Each structure stands twice: as C-alpha cells, then as structure tokens.
Amino acid sequence: MPAAPPAAPDTATDVVLVVDFGAQYAQLIARRVREARVYSEIVPSTMPVAEMLARNPRAIILSGGPSSVYAEGAPSIDRALFEAGVPVFGMCYGFQLMATTLGGTVDDNGAREYGRTSLAVSKAGSTLFEGTPTEQPVWMSHGDACSAAPEGFTVTASTDVVPVAAFENDEKKLYGVQYHPEVMHSTFGQQVLEHFLYRGAGIEPTWTTTNVVEEQIALIREQVGDKRAICGLSGGVDSAVAAALVQKAIGSQLTCVYVDHGLMRKGETEQVEKDFVAATGAKLKVVDAEKRFLDALAGVSDPEQKRKIIGREFIRVFEQAQLEILQEEGPEVAFLVQGTLYPDVVESGGGTGTANIKSHHNVGGLPDDIEFQLVEPLRQLFKDEVRMVGQELGLPEEIVQRQPFPGPGLGIRIVGDVTKERLDLLREADAIAREELTAAGLDRDIWQCPVVLLADVRSVGVQGDGRTYGHPIVLRPVSSEDAMTADWSRLPYETLAKISTRITNEVAEVNRVVLDVTSKPPGTIEWE
C-alpha cells in the first residue's frame, strides 16, 4: 500500500470564484487572476449562491455573457451574493447584473459598443483606477448600457455613449466595469483586475505553480489509491507534463503507453522513447498500432468522424495494454491519465454555455463505453501554465518548450482520406518546415506551425520543363498565448522561400506551397 496521501493544500480560503455567465472569456478571467498569483476556479452561474459562499471565497468575479439582463431566461444572481460581505467584481454582463440587482438602471438606449473604445476615468484615485491614465483604451462588447448606478455606488468611469462604464462601493467592496479588463486590448485591464484583488479584496499574491503541483499530487494520490494507472503519452507537452505529474504522485503505479498509430511526425517515436524516459524514469510501453488505426480510418474524410475514430481506437489500444500490464505486473489498471487542457474542453462543448466547435479526441471523441476512470490533472490549465508546471517538475526544455502537436496527429492535417502514402508525404513536408524554422531561430517566436496536406486538391505546375499535377501544402504558422485566440505569424520571406523551395524540390507529388493568413477566430488553428 502506498503511503497515506498528504493533506491537500488549503486553497479553500484563498480561492477567487469566477462565475461563468456563458462568456467566451470566462477561463481567460481565471487565467488573469492566476497571473496575479491568486488561485481561481470557475463555477457555473447556475450554482446556488449558498453553495458559492460555502466555498468561503476570498472574492467573486462575475463574467460577461451573451444575454441581455432583461431577456427571458437570462442568467440571474441572488441578491444575497452582494450582501454576504464577500468582495465582488462584475465585468460586462456581470456588471449590468450587479447594477440591476441592486437597484441601478440598465436599458437598451442604443448605446452599443463593440471593440476598442476610449474610457474616461472620472475618479483617478479610486480603488480600481489608481495609477492608471484618465483616458485609456478598453475592449467593449455590449448592447444594453448602465445609465444609473445603484445607491451607495460612485461612478468612476464613462465613455462617450455610456454614462456609467464603471462604479465602485468601497464600503461593501462591490466593483464593476462595463468592459472586458481580461483581454489584452484593454491596455490597463490587468492592473485594474489586480487593484480589485489586492486593494478591493485585500488578497496577498502568494499562489504559484508550486501550489498546482502540490495540490494535484495530493488529489491524484487520493483518486488512484493503491490501483494502477496508464498514461496515454503522445510526445507532446501536455501528455508529458501530465505523465510527469502523475509519476511524481504514484511512482511505479504508473505505466506510460505510447501508441505509435502511424500518424506521428518524422522521428517522433524515437524522440519519445529517448527524451521522456530519460527525463522522468517512467516505465514506457510502446504499442505498434499503425495498421489498426489506418484500417479504421480507411475511406474516412470527415474531420469529426476522424477524431472520434482516433479517440475510440486509442481507448481500445489502452484497454489491450491494460490486460497486458495486469498479466505482467498486477494489480488492476483502473485509471487512464490524459493531458487534457481547458481549450480542449471548451472547443469540445464542455465549457459552461459553450458550443461544440470540434471534438478533441480526448474529450468529445471518447467512446461511451470507456471503462477507465480518467485522471486529468491539467484540465483547468492553459498551455503556458502547463509549461510552467513542467518546469517546476524539472522536465527538460526540449519537452517543456516543444510546440503543440494534436493528439490525433497528422490524421487531422490531411484534408481528405488518410493513407500511409499521404502520411509519408506530409511527414517529409512537415520535417522540412520544422528544420528551417529551427535553423532560422524562430521556434520561440511562433506558437505552432501546422503543415497541412490538401489531399483532395491538385493543381497544375511545371517542373523540369514538364507538366505536373500535384498537391498543395499549407503552412499555418500562428502566434498565441493560450490557443483560445491566435494570429498568423509574420515569418521572414527568406524563411518561407526556403521552406517552399525545399518542399517542392524534395517531396514527391507536391508542386505548390501556400500560406494560411487567417486569425482565430474566425479560423481554428488546425484545419480539421
């Protein structure tokens, strides 16, 4: 039996709850709070206020949302929240909800503001705006507007069309802004948020990634007990950090399973076998499943179906590995560790009030009859936070700073049917792009550079004085903080030219290289 798990870190008295009213930025708010070194968690707006208060939060933040406060069925909040003595900060919809609940006036007066707006601060020394300019750019996204603050509140900012764009009540520790301080377009937004946390709520900035590691180790030990776990290791940052975290928690009870499904990049399998085992000392079982996956994907071109097939086959392979490990070592393998991140959950429709953009193989792509209990220690983290956890665990830079790679691998970077021939072609093109980006010293300047094969598209070209009819390759270099939003990376023309020349010269059946210059939104980072 393993040693008794240590008590979980006492974060309950230091937590800031972010109440999600269906905002696309709810998790970003939580992330910004963590950047201020204050622990935060998201809760749905449907959670009863009594349950929120039972968590003994140090503060509560009300997120934005797509509804009008007057719309039928719009999310509401119990007035008791504002009378409990807990500091509250309302943003956008949360600001309007605070105003109407406490007797202020919010109406549809045509004062719509979307995008960058100039905010005029009327009380520069206020709790929220101390030390910030009296004129500052903010990011607005609203239809209704607050025209009168509740009794006891001081109006501290306005815009040309909104008379009440921020208000504060220091006595009751209630604050609100009409805009989105959590997005980078609100230049002083992080400072305003930190003023609420430090000055309004009186919270000390003491939370770090060390807390994440300590807390998750305790939770993992409590969840797994004396049973065994396997981890689906893909070679990417997420699964590597998840595996290292669980390895630290339960040691030899974990076996990492690397599924070589034939959808990996060139040299991937060899790198995983060498780098990860050397860094962690974890037990690694490599399963050659290329034929199984390619047979299952044969003739399938729909991206959602591909993801679901890949997710299903992963589980089937893990189940077979479970039986083999049981026979070889015992006891029962009851848990499956996954490197699921919050953006995976959001895009798979798992966030509060979010739509299903695409099913990630490890979330919406899992089969209904899965028998494993999931261990997902990174589920509430963004990629940059995962990298920090990896550094805290002592993983080498080659793993921690590796560019993201999707679990379904190259299967979702082929637009069209997936075949071994097409995979080999894409592998070579991808390897060339990675080599040239590294040679140019650009690995840290871009977030990720998916290389996509348009397998069902051909175009006419000329090579060696002869006509060709080959496939196009798409380069998709993007810059991002967290994969929730992204912009295309402005790579040097010289680097792009080298990549294009090498791919068209060295990769058979490719006669054209194109550059994807679409941001997210409207496009996702991956094509499928």
Side-chain angles (χ1 to χ4, degrees):
M1 293 283 289
D10 183 17
T11 58
T13 56
D14 295 321
V15 67
V16 170
L17 297 182
V18 178
V19 182
D20 184 4
F21 289 98
Q24 60 176 318
Y25 297 130
Q27 186 68 13
L28 185 54
I29 298 172
R31 178 170 174 261
R32 297 303 189 209
V33 174
R34 294 177 190 180
E35 287 177 359
R37 296 180 59 202
V38 175
Y39 181 65
S40 62
E41 292 181 8
I42 295 177
V43 297
S45 61
T46 53
M47 176 182 283
V49 165
E51 192 173 331
M52 294 181 196
L53 297 177
R55 296 283 308 277
N56 194 24
R58 290 293 303 273
I60 292 175
I61 297 176
L62 308 181
S63 84
S67 302
S68 163
V69 289
Y70 296 120
E72 185 177 351
S76 60
I77 199 77
D78 192 329
R79 185 186 178 98
L81 177 71
F82 305 113
E83 298 172 342
V86 177
V88 181
F89 187 20
M91 300 178 179
C92 197
Y93 182 84
F95 165 75
Q96 295 180 1
L97 197 57
M98 181 188 295
T100 55
T101 302
L102 296 177
T105 303
V106 173
D107 44 35
D108 182 2
N109 59 3
R112 291 169 173 77
E113 291 176 311
Y114 297 99
R116 191 178 296 271
T117 304
S118 180
L119 183 79
V121 176
S122 53
K123 191 174 181 183
S126 73
T127 297
L128 294 183
F129 295 108
E130 170 73 30
T132 69
T134 54
E135 293 286 335
Q136 54 188 271
V138 298
W139 192 258
M140 290 283 193
S141 182
H142 68 93
D144 297 343
C146 182
S147 56
E151 185 177 351
F153 282 73
T154 300
V155 176
T156 53
S158 62
T159 71
D160 288 343
V161 295
V162 176
V164 183
F167 54 45
E168 305 180 27
N169 186 326
D170 286 317
E171 181 182 353
K172 295 186 176 180
K173 298 186 181 300
L174 302 178
Y175 306 88
V177 296
Q178 177 61 75
Y179 61 94
H180 288 276
E182 71 274 23
V183 303
M184 66 178 66
H185 307 292
S186 296
T187 307
F188 298 91
Q190 184 68 14
Q191 191 171 343
V192 168
L193 174 59
E194 290 178 1
H195 281 170
F196 165 71
L197 296 171
Y198 305 156
R199 295 160 55 106
I203 303 173
E204 293 291 329
T206 58
W207 185 79
T208 66
T209 50
T210 302
N211 302 114
V212 176
V213 172
E214 292 174 349
E215 181 180 64
Q216 286 303 320
I217 285 174
L219 292 173
I220 292 163
R221 286 174 176 165
E222 181 180 356
Q223 181 182 6
V224 176
D226 61 353
K227 293 189 170 61
R228 295 188 59 81
I230 60 176
C231 177
L233 195 65
S234 70
V237 178
D238 310 335
S239 64
V241 173
L245 192 52
V246 176
Q247 166 78 9
K248 192 172 181 66
I250 63 174
S252 61
Q253 293 168 244
L254 174 69
T255 299
C256 294
V257 178
Y258 174 78
V259 180
D260 187 358
H261 47 25
L263 307 174
M264 303 304 287
R265 295 183 290 194
K266 190 174 182 179
E268 203 95 40
T269 300
E270 295 78 9
Q271 184 182 34
V272 169
E273 291 184 277
K274 177 173 64 72
D275 292 346
F276 181 77
V277 174
T280 65
K283 289 182 289 186
L284 178 64
K285 182 180 182 66
V286 179
V287 180
D288 183 357
E290 180 180 32
K291 185 177 186 304
R292 177 187 192 123
F293 276 79
L294 294 188
D295 286 349
L297 288 167
V300 177
S301 59
D302 178 75
E304 275 292 282
Q305 194 176 352
K306 284 184 192 177
R307 288 176 176 272
K308 291 183 183 297
I309 288 171
I310 292 169
R312 181 194 70 208
E313 294 304 315
F314 263 123
I315 296 302
R316 299 291 89 97
V317 171
F318 291 144
E319 288 169 348
Q320 180 60 39
Q322 175 192 37
L323 294 175
E324 294 174 5
I325 294 169
L326 180 62
Q327 293 169 356
E328 295 167 4
E329 305 176 39
E332 177 189 2
V333 179
F335 296 90
L336 173 62
V337 181
Q338 294 195 134
T340 306
L341 303 192
Y342 190 76
D344 300 339
V345 177
V346 170
E347 290 194 338
S348 297
T352 306
T354 57
N356 183 359
I357 298 169
K358 58 184 178 185
S359 297
H360 286 256
H361 78 286
N362 54 343
V363 186
L366 296 176
D368 294 332
D369 59 350
I370 181 173
E371 296 182 358
F372 293 107
Q373 295 181 58
L374 297 180
V375 178
E376 299 178 310
L378 312 177
R379 188 180 176 91
Q380 291 298 322
L381 300 182
F382 285 95
K383 181 77 70 174
D384 57 339
E385 293 176 318
V386 172
R387 293 191 199 280
M388 289 189 287
V389 169
Q391 290 171 335
E392 181 73 24
L393 292 168
L395 290 177
E397 288 290 293
E398 307 87 77
I399 293 176
V400 173
Q401 296 301 334
R402 198 162 174 232
Q403 290 181 6
F405 185 63
L410 300 180
I412 58 166
R413 290 185 178 174
I414 294 176
V415 179
D417 297 353
V418 178
T419 66
K420 189 174 189 313
E421 294 72 26
R422 290 175 171 181
L423 285 165
D424 288 342
L425 185 157
L426 180 55
R427 256 188 283 272
E428 292 302 319
D430 175 84
I432 290 170
R434 286 188 289 139
E435 286 172 13
E436 291 300 332
L437 289 172
T438 299
L442 295 171
D443 287 340
R444 293 291 187 91
D445 295 338
I446 62 172
W447 168 269
Q448 189 179 5
C449 185
V451 178
V452 181
L453 171 65
L454 303 185
D456 290 341
V457 177
R458 286 183 179 270
S459 66
V460 174
V462 56
Q463 290 173 302
D465 294 326
R467 178 185 186 273
T468 62
Y469 194 49
H471 299 289
I473 284 285
V474 180
L475 303 179
R476 173 72 165 134
V478 295
S479 301
S480 180
E481 285 187 329
D482 47 40
M484 297 298 290
T485 60
D487 194 11
W488 66 280
S489 301
R490 277 65 168 174
L491 299 183
Y493 290 150
E494 294 80 5
T495 302
L496 292 171
K498 286 181 181 178
I499 294 173
S500 177
T501 299
R502 284 194 59 192
I503 289 177
T504 53
N505 283 347
E506 300 174 31
V507 182
E509 296 191 51
V510 173
N511 65 356
R512 195 177 297 271
V513 175
V514 299
L515 179 66
D516 183 345
V517 294
T518 313
S519 62
K520 175 187 179 181
T524 55
I525 292 176
E526 299 289 347
W527 273 48
E528 294 204 331

